Amino acid sequence: DSSESEDEFTLSCANSDNQADDFWVQCERCEKWRCLKDNSDPNLLPEDWVCNLNPDKRYNNCNAPQEPWSEFEPGSGLEYVYGTYSLGSLVWGEMQGYPWWPGMIDNDPLTRTYYYKHANSQNPDKYHVTFFGIQATRAWIGKKYIKVYNPDDKEDQIKYDQRKSGKGVREAIAMANQAFHLELNDRKKIYGFKEQCKSVEDV
């Protein structure tokens, strides 16, 4: 489902090449917000996430207090958005004239941000996607044209269809599957658009 959820949000530092996102998720039982800093992909969280699944032992039960919100202090330079995608999240993206293609949520090298939203909204309208392939390409994609990429999802009809497509799509799927097994920070270092361009220049 590509719709944004208000059970989770990403705390982001705008306009930073070293953008470090804190991903917050709301417990289905106690409705407290927990900050996940385990470098895992928020795309893969279960829909019925509860405090017991939190790797932070200080806040991994519903009796633990709500975590402090000091990050939202005025002047902190941070903003939050409701969304299921964070930097490094793997996705399918669709552009007009092209099939669904695997990619990664990535910072735009020009704007140094990975989402676009209207000023009075906390829900992104578009995400910046770097597509997998022999040659890295990128584009801003509307959220309704983005879906979660999970190679373990046996019911992913998109992936099944694309395996029957051309060599370029199959190679991109192979790269996405490799990236899937990496932590977010490692994904960004290897498959980010700027990083891939640097690798080509160094050859």
Side-chain angles (χ1 to χ4, degrees):
D1 182 3
S2 61
S3 61
E4 306 301 332
S5 169
E6 293 196 1
D7 293 331
E8 52 196 29
F9 69 87
T10 306
L11 178 66
S12 305
C13 179
N15 298 321
S16 172
D17 281 325
N18 299 314
Q19 189 166 354
D21 293 344
D22 290 341
F23 192 79
W24 294 70
V25 61
Q26 190 176 38
C27 175
E28 287 290 315
R29 293 174 184 165
C30 67
E31 297 186 347
K32 293 174 184 173
W33 290 91
R34 304 304 189 193
C35 183
L36 304 185
K37 298 184 178 181
D38 62 347
N39 201 25
S40 59
D41 191 340
N43 273 352
L44 305 179
L45 292 179
E47 293 184 7
D48 55 350
W49 192 93
V50 292
C51 289
N52 304 73
L53 299 175
N54 192 350
D56 187 342
K57 295 182 179 180
R58 299 171 300 170
Y59 301 103
N60 67 352
N61 68 80
C62 292
N63 293 325
Q66 168 66 54
E67 293 186 62
W69 299 87
S70 57
E71 293 91 341
F72 297 112
E73 294 289 336
S76 66
L78 301 176
E79 64 178 6
Y80 70 91
V81 293
Y82 289 109
T84 52
Y85 306 115
S86 184
L87 273 174
S89 290
L90 299 182
V91 297
W92 290 103
E94 185 184 38
M95 294 179 60
Q96 186 174 3
Y98 293 89
W100 286 90
W101 202 282
M104 183 183 75
I105 302 296
D106 188 23
N107 272 335
D108 183 317
L110 301 178
T111 65
R112 294 184 291 174
T113 57
Y114 68 91
Y115 62 83
Y116 169 82
K117 68 180 184 63
H118 292 288
N120 297 325
S121 173
Q122 291 163 338
N123 296 294
D125 298 299
K126 296 181 179 180
Y127 288 93
H128 183 262
V129 178
T130 292
F131 291 102
F132 292 107
I134 300 302
Q135 182 175 354
T137 57
R138 64 184 184 88
W140 283 94
I141 308 294
K143 65 181 181 181
K144 67 179 180 178
Y145 299 109
I146 297 176
K147 299 181 183 296
V148 173
Y149 183 95
N150 182 352
D152 294 333
D153 185 354
K154 303 304 181 183
E155 298 181 359
D156 190 342
Q157 186 64 37
I158 298 177
K159 184 176 181 182
Y160 175 78
D161 291 340
Q162 297 314 84
R163 276 180 167 167
K164 299 184 294 184
S165 300
K167 180 181 178 182
V169 180
R170 296 196 300 271
E171 290 176 340
I173 290 175
M175 292 178 67
N177 290 345
Q178 292 175 348
F180 178 80
H181 297 287
L182 300 175
E183 294 185 338
L184 291 186
N185 286 337
D186 292 331
R187 282 184 200 168
K188 291 182 284 187
K189 291 177 182 177
I190 297 174
Y191 294 107
F193 184 81
K194 290 181 65 176
E195 286 68 25
Q196 290 194 62
C197 290
K198 288 178 183 178
S199 298
V200 173
E201 292 173 356
D202 293 339
V203 173

